[in-house]
């Protein structure tokens, strides 16, 4: 059960970090200068082309190592980075690449006139983002982001490979101790499935909320 | 004349693509790569070269087998969900939901450790002809990856089958085609055309889930790189090379699929 809690914590943290990176990345890709655009294109392409498992290993070891080296170089003591923080950072970095693409697509789907109108009203870029772009893109982004959230919950299982204690690893240990492999992995599968189904339900509610005032999909067709 | 125009066009396109900042970025990237080549340790490469090739071959083989088998499973799954009666559609839908709702790692471990620990308890399994296969790890890996691909792809095929206009099928029936012939000549090809872009993405995703079989002791390219890391105590070099290999395979896959997509007449539906 502690494992499940850890899994959910990491998934939530990673999705939040991914959303932040994604919003920034999408803005950079749409409005940034040529250098920023190319760098972001390289980031999303590379992250999406390399298996998550490899990325997790690379970032998990390289990330903690780099931070420690930087700290020692600056004369601080080495810190022990908690698995939770590292896991959130790594998965967030991966999620960021995917959500950049989703959010970029969603921002492009907003009728251009809305953004132009907001600019014409003299809104500052921050206000424009908060009041117009984010709310208006939400209905377009929710299905893609929901997929990402489900992927994030399932990717947390991969952290078991680097030895972080979450649901998959907890199950494996419990199964190894009791020798009842089938029962425990089955139970873990059911837990993940329940998590997915529950979040599907919540996402349905959120989507309905974000689409309020818009014609329903069936009518639009 | 036309030849000259195309050349000028191509030159214009490359000069548009090669803007000054791009050249600087490419130079920086080249510098990073070169410094990685010269300042990191690569002396282990010759020793593990052969093993790596076998690993790559095995990864590709697993990818191909699971994609083809999974797709064969996915077609009836999609068909059952798109048109079948409740008794066909409900199990297919349940299967897709379960597969898509649980992590592949758990499915893999459930099959390998779970089922794998149940089999030896039954004497008749030990005596049957499948036992030599069941003792190895790869059948479990292939089975898990196939099921997962079928689960995801079944959902895609459902949409693709449902998306083929009804008139086409009615026309085929009106021509006197049998149900099977109409399915084979009209319905399936059009559904595959529709699903092809998604199929590309799914295949790349499948490639990215093949390293998971390394956790159940199948020696694919990922397992080879782990072995190099354990033997030489190097952290980054094998992983970086591994990332490069996967990126290359992804690139080739995407390129191949885009060539196939380009062959399809694009005025459909």
């Amino acid at each position: 059960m502690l494992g499940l809690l850890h899994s959910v914590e990491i998934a939530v943290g990673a999705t939040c970090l991914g959303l932040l990176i994604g919003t920034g990345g999408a803005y950079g890709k749409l409005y940034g200068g040529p250098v920023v655009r190319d760098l972001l294109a390289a980031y999303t392409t590379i992250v999406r082309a390399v298996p998550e498992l490899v990325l997790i290993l690379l970032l998990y070891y390289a990330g903690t190592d780099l931070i420690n080296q930087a700290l020692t170089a600056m004369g601080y003591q080495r810190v022990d980075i908690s698995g939770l923080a590292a896991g959130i950072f790594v998965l967030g970095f991966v999620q960021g690449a995917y959500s950049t693409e989703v959010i970029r697509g969603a921002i492009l789907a907003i009728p251009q006139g809305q953004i132009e109108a907001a600019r014409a009203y003299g809104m500052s870029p921050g206000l424009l983002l908060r009041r117009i772009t984010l709310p208006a893109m939400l209905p377009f982004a929710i299905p893609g982001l929901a997929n990402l959230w489900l992927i994030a919950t399932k990717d947390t299982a991969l952290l078991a490979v680097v030895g972080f204690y979450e649901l998959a690893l907890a199950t494996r240990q419990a199964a190894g101790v009791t020798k009842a492999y089938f029962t425990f992995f089955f139970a873990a599968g059911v837990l993940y499935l329940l998590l997915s189904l529950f979040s599907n339900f919540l996402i349905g509610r959120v989507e309905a909320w974000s689409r309020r005032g818009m014609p329903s999909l069936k009518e639009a067709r | 004349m036309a030849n000259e125009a195309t050349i000028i066009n191509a030159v214009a396109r490359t000069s548009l693509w090669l803007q000054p900042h791009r050249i600087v970025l490419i130079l920086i990237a080249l510098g990073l790569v070169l410094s990685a080549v010269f300042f990191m340790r690569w002396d282990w490469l010759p020793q593990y070269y052969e093993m790596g090739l076998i690993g790559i071959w095995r990864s590709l083989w697993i990818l191909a087998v699971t994609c083809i088998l999974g797709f064969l499973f996915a077609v009836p799954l999609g068909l059952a969900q798109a048109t079948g009666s409740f008794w066909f559609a409900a199990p297919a839908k349940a299967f897709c939901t379960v597969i898509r709702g649980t992590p592949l790692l758990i499915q893999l471990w459930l099959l390998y450790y779970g089922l794998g620990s149940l089999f030896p308890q039954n004497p008749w399994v030990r005596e049957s002809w499948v036992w030599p296969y069941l003792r190895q790890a790869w059948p479990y890996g292939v089975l898990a990856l196939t099921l997962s691909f079928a689960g995801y792809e079944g959902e895609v095929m459902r949409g693709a089958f449902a998306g083929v206009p009804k008139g086409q099928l009615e026309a085929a029936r009106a021509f006197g085609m049998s149900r099977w012939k109409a399915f084979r000549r009209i319905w399936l090809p059009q559904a595959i055309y529709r699903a092809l872009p998604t199929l590309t993405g799914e295949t790349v995703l499948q490639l990215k889930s093949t390293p998971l079989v390394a956790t159940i002791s199948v020696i694919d390219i990922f397992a080879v790189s782990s072995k190099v890391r354990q033997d030489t105590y190097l952290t980054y070099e094998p992983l970086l090379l591994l990332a490069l290999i996967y990126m290359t395979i992804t690139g080739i896959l995407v390129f191949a699929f885009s060539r196939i997509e380009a062959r399809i007449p694009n005025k459909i539906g």
Side-chain angles (χ1 to χ4, degrees):
Chain A
M1 275 294 121
L2 192 68
L4 179 65
L5 191 67
H6 273 168
S7 285
V8 175
E9 266 174 16
I10 286 197
V12 170
T15 311
C16 291
L17 185 63
L19 280 181
L20 279 182
I21 297 180
T23 317
Y27 251 70
K29 262 198 162 178
L30 287 174
Y31 306 116
V35 179
V36 175
R37 254 186 239 187
D38 281 0
L39 283 180
L40 284 171
Y43 162 61
T44 52
T45 316
I46 290 176
V47 170
R48 295 192 307 163
V50 177
E52 283 88 351
L53 193 58
V54 179
L55 273 179
I56 285 172
L57 280 179
L58 202 58
L59 291 175
Y60 200 84
Y61 293 124
T64 48
D65 200 44
L66 276 183
I67 289 175
N68 272 333
Q69 273 184 5
L71 282 181
T72 40
M74 284 188 293
Y76 293 104
Q77 285 208 319
R78 295 176 71 86
V79 284
D80 217 14
I81 294 163
S82 76
L84 188 71
I88 288 179
F89 170 74
V90 171
L91 281 186
F93 187 78
V94 177
Q95 290 279 311
Y98 286 90
S99 50
T100 297
E101 295 293 314
V102 170
I103 292 176
R104 191 181 66 98
I107 291 180
L108 282 179
I110 303 174
Q112 191 62 31
Q114 294 195 5
I115 293 173
E116 279 165 9
R119 286 222 183 99
Y121 266 112
M123 279 192 186
S124 68
L127 196 65
L128 172 72
L129 173 72
R130 213 174 64 234
R131 287 226 182 125
I132 310 292
T133 313
L134 283 186
M137 74 159 201
L138 213 52
F140 303 112
I142 289 270
L145 293 179
N147 255 341
L148 283 182
W149 157 252
L150 291 180
I151 291 175
T153 58
K154 287 185 278 172
D155 271 358
T156 55
L158 296 183
L159 287 174
V161 178
V162 288
F164 178 69
Y165 190 80
E166 44 67 70
L167 187 48
L169 192 65
T171 318
R172 197 173 168 182
Q173 283 173 0
V177 170
T178 56
K179 301 286 174 212
Y181 285 100
F182 196 83
T183 326
F184 272 100
F185 283 125
F186 193 74
V190 170
L191 278 180
Y192 277 113
L193 187 60
L194 283 180
L195 186 62
S196 291
L197 290 179
F198 181 64
S199 24
N200 261 347
F201 170 73
L202 280 187
I203 288 161
R205 296 289 293 270
V206 171
E207 194 176 354
W209 170 78
S210 74
R211 291 189 69 90
R212 67 202 184 284
M214 293 175 80
S216 84
L217 282 175
K218 275 176 197 150
E219 283 169 38
R221 219 171 259 165
Chain B
M1 202 51 207
N3 208 0
E4 211 168 293
T6 47
I7 290 171
I8 290 171
N9 237 343
V11 168
R13 218 176 300 139
T14 40
S15 70
L16 208 65
W17 196 82
L18 274 181
Q19 288 156 354
H21 75 273
R22 283 238 167 90
I23 296 174
V24 173
L25 282 180
I26 289 171
L27 283 181
I28 292 176
L30 266 183
L32 278 178
V33 171
L34 284 180
S35 63
V37 168
F38 285 117
F39 292 115
M40 288 176 150
R41 284 187 48 204
W42 299 100
D43 48 350
W44 46 271
L45 259 181
Q47 201 186 336
Y48 292 95
Y49 172 71
E50 232 166 81
M51 217 171 151
L53 279 189
I54 295 175
I56 293 176
W57 173 245
R58 199 164 289 171
S59 286
L60 287 179
W61 184 82
I62 289 178
L63 174 71
V65 168
T66 55
C67 280
I68 293 168
L69 284 181
F71 186 73
L72 291 182
F73 268 118
V75 169
L77 274 175
L79 205 58
Q81 285 187 69
T83 58
S85 65
F86 175 79
W87 295 109
F88 282 114
K93 189 150 181 50
F95 174 78
C96 286
T97 313
V98 168
I99 292 288
R100 294 173 355 131
T102 50
L104 179 56
L105 194 63
I106 290 287
Q107 295 163 15
L108 200 62
W109 286 357
L110 176 68
L111 284 176
Y112 182 63
Y113 294 113
L115 272 186
S117 72
L118 288 186
F119 281 138
Q121 292 166 8
N122 298 1
W124 59 270
V125 174
R126 280 165 162 270
E127 282 153 21
S128 70
W129 57 272
V130 284
W131 178 241
Y133 296 104
L134 288 181
R135 274 197 327 200
Q136 293 166 4
W138 63 265
Y140 299 99
V142 169
L143 180 64
L145 284 174
T146 305
L147 287 182
S148 131
F149 192 75
Y152 284 93
E153 202 55 42
E155 201 73 15
V156 174
M157 288 313 286
R158 179 186 65 86
F161 277 127
V164 176
K166 252 211 162 75
Q168 302 248 6
L169 298 176
E170 282 164 6
R173 296 285 289 161
F175 263 110
M177 285 190 190
S178 68
R179 259 171 200 279
W180 167 240
K181 203 177 201 178
F183 172 73
R184 199 164 41 105
R185 289 221 183 136
I186 312 288
W187 209 3
L188 188 62
Q190 294 213 17
I192 291 179
Y193 290 172
R194 272 159 201 280
L196 207 58
T198 334
L199 206 62
T200 317
E202 291 287 334
T203 313
V204 173
L205 283 182
Q206 184 75 358
L207 169 71
K208 296 199 297 176
S209 44
T210 51
L212 287 182
V213 297
T215 59
I216 59 167
S217 75
V218 176
I219 313 286
D220 70 335
I221 181 66
F222 180 80
V224 171
S225 93
S226 309
K227 183 164 166 39
V228 173
R229 284 172 49 216
Q230 279 165 9
D231 288 354
T232 57
Y233 302 110
L234 295 169
T235 321
Y236 305 121
E237 287 89 342
L239 279 177
L240 285 175
L241 190 65
L242 185 64
L244 188 68
I245 290 172
Y246 276 113
M247 273 164 61
T248 318
I249 301 177
T250 309
I252 294 172
L253 270 181
V254 170
F255 177 73
F257 268 101
S258 72
R259 289 296 291 273
I260 298 176
E261 255 172 73
R263 289 169 58 108
I264 289 176
N266 52 5
K267 283 199 176 161
I268 287 173

